[in-house]
Amino acid sequence: MASPSKAGAALTALREDLVGDVFAPGDPGYDEARTVFNAMIDRRPAVIAQCVDESDVVRAVRFARDLDLHVAVRGGGHSVAGMALGDGAVVVDLRHMRAVTVDPAAEAVRIAGGATMSDLDHACEPHRLATTGGRASTTGVGGFVLGGGTGWLDRWCGLAVDNLLGVELVTADGERIHANGDENPDLFWALHGGGGNFGVATALTLKLYELPEFSIALLLCLPEYGREVTRTYRDVITAGPDEASGAVIYVTGPPAEFVPPHLVGTRLIAVLLTYAGAEEDLRKLAQPLLALPHESEIVGAMPYADVQCMLDDPPGMRNYWSAEYLTGAPDDLVDVFCARGESVPVPTGTMYALFPQGGAIGTGPHEYPVPYRDAPWAVHPFGLWEDPADDERCVQWVRDVRADVQPWSTGAVYLNFIGDEGTDRVVAGVGAENTHRLAEVKRRYDPDNVFRFNHNIRPA
């Protein structure tokens, strides 16, 4: 650790040099700057550097290295595990770096490291282009992509990393480098699922796809129809085209226009069928679902960017998430899924989803460290609640979901869906066969494990 006098002088210099704002404990605005999406996270960084450009990022990283401090990276979104903060660390906060530049001719987009899915989707929409994004508009693009990236379009155009064309990175030495298929190819490979272990991603370039129309069918049903709803949805997806996706989701009825007033605050099962195409084709596909008993429905064409906002989870709530990737969704699994759905904590913001993979996910490139690619289905319980008194029951409920579906688990997991569940789960998230290669890349680019506030891969 640096002496107090050296640290003080370095902090003064950083405040002068950084174009963005700098916060340290005791500064007005420090507590606001360290507040993150998950209200369960309460950490006190040594310094928060709110960077406005790549040069600011370089300055912040070099400041941290000069003082022998670790670096946490705050992108634009959730980091439900609280990995955007570290006690005593330097936080490189990218939230002011949100520029999105669409190149329609090249069908590509460059996204700055602090952009959210909303920034990306709304920039692409006027060009009738899109790419796989998260299932909420508030998701940060950088962490989402580097962790693998799954969403409503992945069965049609692949995981987000399958569409990654290049990454601009600031390394642990404060150097700017570029990674793509030709430059630093080993690093580029590691960035396909290895997360924020290798540097600060200041910008990413993704491939885009023509998406002139997007359609959905959203039905709200009573929980007693859960098994019938889930099996019907499973069969529709299994027989349907890759353009079809969505999820079955147990929820508390929200105070929204499409929820009958007497069902607000009660447990419901929602079925969402998304379709990368025209309403006419969606309606044909959705017929078996529309024939089920349901309390309300929304069916029709809807801009993809608007659909992305439908499941936004508010900041400031308490969060505990997990996931299991499944060998299939047979009737026995459906029964277990629905039985646990009938105990979803209500009234809370907790959601409990069963969603499909397959399609372009399964046929995508298998060389990347995304071992969950071959699982045809996944279960994602995410606890979301306000009252700390509910911590124990909500966390335990999420763990019970995982225990319930173990007989069908592939063992792989998407790391963006989980918090700190131990080293074995990190290995499960990148694949045992990839772990050593990732550790070697880590040793080359971050031998001192400066970037450790993540699903950490230790240097070999």
Side-chain angles (χ1 to χ4, degrees):
M1 287 291 292
S3 68
S5 60
K6 179 182 177 182
L11 180 59
T12 299
L14 182 68
R15 291 187 195 275
E16 291 174 355
D17 294 343
L18 208 78
V19 178
D21 293 324
V22 176
F23 296 94
D27 288 347
Y30 171 79
D31 284 333
E32 183 181 354
R34 71 182 182 91
T35 299
V36 291
F37 170 78
N38 185 354
M40 296 180 80
I41 306 300
D42 181 16
R43 295 179 185 149
R44 300 186 64 81
V47 174
I48 299 168
Q50 294 186 334
C51 302
V52 301
D53 57 22
E54 192 177 45
S55 296
D56 268 3
V57 174
V58 170
R59 293 182 188 106
V61 171
R62 289 180 177 172
F63 165 84
R65 297 312 310 273
D66 287 346
L67 297 183
D68 196 25
L69 297 172
H70 301 303
V71 175
V73 182
R74 182 166 190 174
H78 300 146
S79 183
V80 70
M83 293 170 177
L85 299 180
D87 286 323
V90 174
V91 174
V92 176
D93 187 337
L94 305 178
R95 287 177 296 162
H96 291 305
M97 299 171 60
R98 297 177 62 165
V100 178
T101 306
V102 180
D103 184 344
E107 294 190 337
V109 59
R110 180 186 181 275
I111 310 112
T116 64
M117 216 53 68
S118 180
D119 298 322
L120 170 60
D121 295 335
H122 283 101
C124 294
E125 189 172 73
H127 306 283
R128 306 181 90 181
L129 296 168
T131 193
T132 296
R135 293 175 175 87
S137 71
T138 49
T139 301
V141 176
F144 167 79
V145 173
L146 299 181
T150 169
W152 305 129
L153 297 179
D154 54 12
R155 283 171 39 83
W156 174 56
C157 61
L159 297 169
V161 285
D162 299 343
N163 297 300
L164 184 60
L165 302 176
V167 182
E168 296 161 45
L169 205 73
V170 174
T171 68
D173 292 331
E175 299 297 324
R176 307 180 195 195
I177 62 172
H178 191 264
N180 58 28
D182 298 319
E183 296 178 76
N184 302 303
D186 264 8
L187 174 61
F188 190 54
W189 171 84
L191 294 169
H192 285 71
N197 273 283
F198 310 100
V200 184
T202 55
L204 305 93
T205 302
L206 297 173
K207 176 178 172 55
L208 294 173
Y209 297 82
E210 290 186 21
L211 186 66
E213 296 182 87
F214 195 76
S215 311
I216 69 159
L218 173 63
L219 280 66
L220 290 181
C221 308
L222 298 176
E224 50 260 43
Y225 298 107
R227 286 161 177 79
E228 188 180 356
V229 167
T230 305
R231 288 172 185 157
T232 303
Y233 173 76
R234 174 200 63 194
D235 295 345
V236 165
I237 287 291
T238 301
D242 293 349
E243 287 85 352
S245 189
V248 175
I249 314 166
Y250 280 90
V251 296
T252 297
E257 226 176 276
F258 66 95
V259 181
H262 68 284
L263 295 178
V264 171
T266 68
R267 187 178 291 112
L268 298 169
I269 181 166
V271 56
L272 173 64
L273 180 65
T274 63
Y275 188 74
E279 177 183 345
E280 179 185 359
D281 295 325
L282 165 84
R283 284 188 177 273
K284 292 175 187 172
L285 192 65
Q287 278 307 312
L289 292 168
L290 295 171
L292 295 171
H294 56 279
E295 303 303 305
S296 71
E297 66 177 62
I298 298 173
V299 184
M302 184 180 291
Y304 171 66
D306 291 353
V307 175
Q308 289 283 69
C309 302
M310 290 179 65
L311 294 180
D312 283 357
D313 28 11
M317 304 281 279
R318 304 175 77 77
N319 285 257
Y320 185 81
W321 302 2
S322 197
E324 288 292 338
Y325 280 69
L326 309 174
T327 55
D331 286 351
D332 287 354
L333 178 277
V334 170
D335 290 345
V336 167
F337 169 76
C338 293
R340 185 60 62 185
E342 288 158 11
S343 67
V344 168
V346 295
T348 69
T350 296
M351 298 189 214
Y352 176 34
L354 175 70
F355 64 85
Q357 295 217 118
I361 305 169
T363 58
H366 276 65
E367 66 267 25
Y368 298 136
V370 283
Y372 50 87
R373 180 185 296 280
D374 292 328
W377 290 87
V379 164
H380 178 29
F382 57 107
L384 188 71
W385 66 98
E386 287 187 83
D387 188 348
D390 283 333
D391 285 2
E392 186 175 345
R393 78 169 177 133
C394 289
V395 169
Q396 187 57 52
W397 177 83
V398 171
R399 290 173 174 163
D400 288 344
V401 170
R402 283 195 61 206
D404 286 349
V405 302
Q406 281 306 307
W408 298 274
S409 175
T410 67
V413 69
Y414 173 47
L415 293 176
N416 285 352
F417 275 169
I418 73 170
D420 182 4
E421 295 183 3
T423 303
D424 288 349
R425 284 283 269 177
V426 175
V427 172
V430 296
E433 67 283 3
N434 298 314
T435 303
H436 182 65
R437 183 178 172 187
L438 286 166
E440 288 183 335
V441 176
K442 176 78 168 178
R443 177 173 51 82
R444 287 204 297 279
Y445 290 94
D446 184 15
D448 299 320
N449 204 14
V450 172
F451 300 106
R452 62 177 59 192
F453 301 104
N454 44 45
H455 291 294
N456 195 233
I457 295 159
R458 294 184 178 276

